[in-house]
Amino acid sequence: MKTICLYFEIHNIINLKRYRCFDIGRDHYYYDDYENERSINDVAERSYIPALGTLIEMAKVNNGAFKVALSVSGVALEQLETYAPRVIELLHELNETGCVEFLCEPYSHGLSSLANEECFRDDVERMRTKVQQMFGKAPKVFRNSSLIYSNEIGSIIADMGFKGILTEGAKHVLGWKSAHYLYHCAYNQNLKVLLRDFKLSDDISLRFNNSEWNEYPLFADKYIGWIADMPEEEQVINIFMELSALGVAQPLSSNILEFLKALPACAKEKGITFSTPTEIITKLKSVDAVDVPYPMSWTDEERDISSFLGNILQREAFNKLYSVAERVHLCQDRRIKQDWDYLQASNNFRFMTTKHTGLYIERGIYDSPFDAFTNYMNIVGDFIARVDSLYPADMDNEELNSLLTTIKNQGEEIAALTKELEKAQKKLEKLEPKEKKAPAKKACAKKTKKEE
């Protein structure tokens, strides 16, 4: 039986302000709060609120037959909590239906998986904790920023205890294989891999309202018919996209939400179900390993990381930022930590791309890739100076590594002592009832002697 895995991502850009070289060392606040508030409220009103309302309605009307997966970046949650709390309320309401699975992703929506394993693990763990705190359940499935994936990244995610990961069903990786099966990581078969069907996903997110498209207008029965006509053995159809596709990329006037609401009924007629990622990886067995020696993503035609690190500007900015990764990991300054999250966001590097993709790239305040690079590097220059003030640049690697090792050893020692304390407390709890019974027996013995 075929099943559809429908997944939406929520992430919003943190807008940086114009930052001149003269501001370095004088101004340590890098953000355009007005634009951040305006943009998050705009996308919330046009997309998130009506789209989430529709998903809630679909979950209730279909009595558990409709399932959906969502992931929200940590920086997006911060913005929503500050500027658009109604979206947070709807996420909780959707969670209460029991028809949604919340996935984990890097808190910063950054590219740490390509730069520094320690930072990447920390980024993911913070998001896992945040999801558990907000929605009451620790996520079992992971999706990386822009679905970036490689064998090494999969190995790290498996080591962190995740059972599954979402990524792109790229042609250059799959070759003759189909994305409509469950696969596993080439380095760890315990991690299951769900591959996005980019055609079916883009039919909704990119082409739905395009009157020049040869399949326009697209109706739910036709869309489900395409899935039903696939070979019977192809059982998993993964449709992944940004939630903003519903309302922003495809305006509400296109009836995109009506199309979405009609999908469960049409699917039921064809014997097609909806499943969450965890349900799929639990019920189905993987058919083969998916070998991804070099990172891929869901971005642009190449499905690689060239949109983020494809030119010298992007690589220079990327290397400059992550040159202080270990020092930032050491520090406890909350402002430094928050700036680190916001500066890591992948869109900062996307703004610097010089690729000609045929698609419009929203660059915000920037006139060109070079403008984006200059502004970002001015900010990073100030940020690094602040990090250096905490951990001087002349501190050599051996000294820094020694400090890191000491902190790690202290953490492990604390964890070991905590376990010993827990064992001792359990033993004490077992002994206490015996001690209470013993005095009672002595009292009975004394009473018997007096009676004699």
Side-chain angles (χ1 to χ4, degrees), residues 14-21 23-25 27-32 320-321 339-340 342-343 348 365-366 371-387:
I14 298 291
N15 295 278
L16 303 177
K17 68 181 182 182
R18 280 287 177 188
Y19 194 90
R20 312 290 182 183
C21 61
D23 296 321
I24 298 174
D27 181 5
H28 304 316
Y29 193 77
Y30 313 133
Y31 316 106
D32 186 339
K320 192 71 173 177
L321 177 67
D339 291 341
W340 175 247
Y342 294 170
L343 293 176
N348 291 313
I365 63 173
Y366 306 122
D371 187 24
F373 172 76
T374 302
N375 199 71
Y376 184 78
M377 291 301 281
N378 286 339
I379 291 173
V380 169
D382 182 78
F383 176 75
I384 290 177
R386 290 164 57 203
V387 174

Side-chain angles (χ1 to χ4, degrees), residues 39-106:
S39 62
I40 193 68
N41 276 299
D42 178 62
V43 72
E45 292 295 329
R46 293 168 59 194
S47 173
Y48 296 162
I49 292 175
L52 288 172
T54 297
L55 294 176
I56 292 167
E57 180 185 344
M58 292 169 69
K60 292 179 178 178
V61 167
N62 291 282
N63 298 316
F66 173 73
K67 304 287 181 64
V68 67
L70 284 173
S71 76
V72 192
S73 69
V75 294
L77 281 174
E78 289 181 9
Q79 284 187 299
L80 292 170
E81 288 171 335
T82 303
Y83 300 123
R86 176 57 183 154
V87 177
I88 301 294
E89 293 173 5
L90 289 172
L91 288 172
H92 284 294
E93 190 175 338
L94 180 59
N95 187 41
E96 289 169 3
T97 67
C99 296
V100 62
E101 178 179 0
F102 285 96
L103 311 186
C104 187
E105 68 169 75

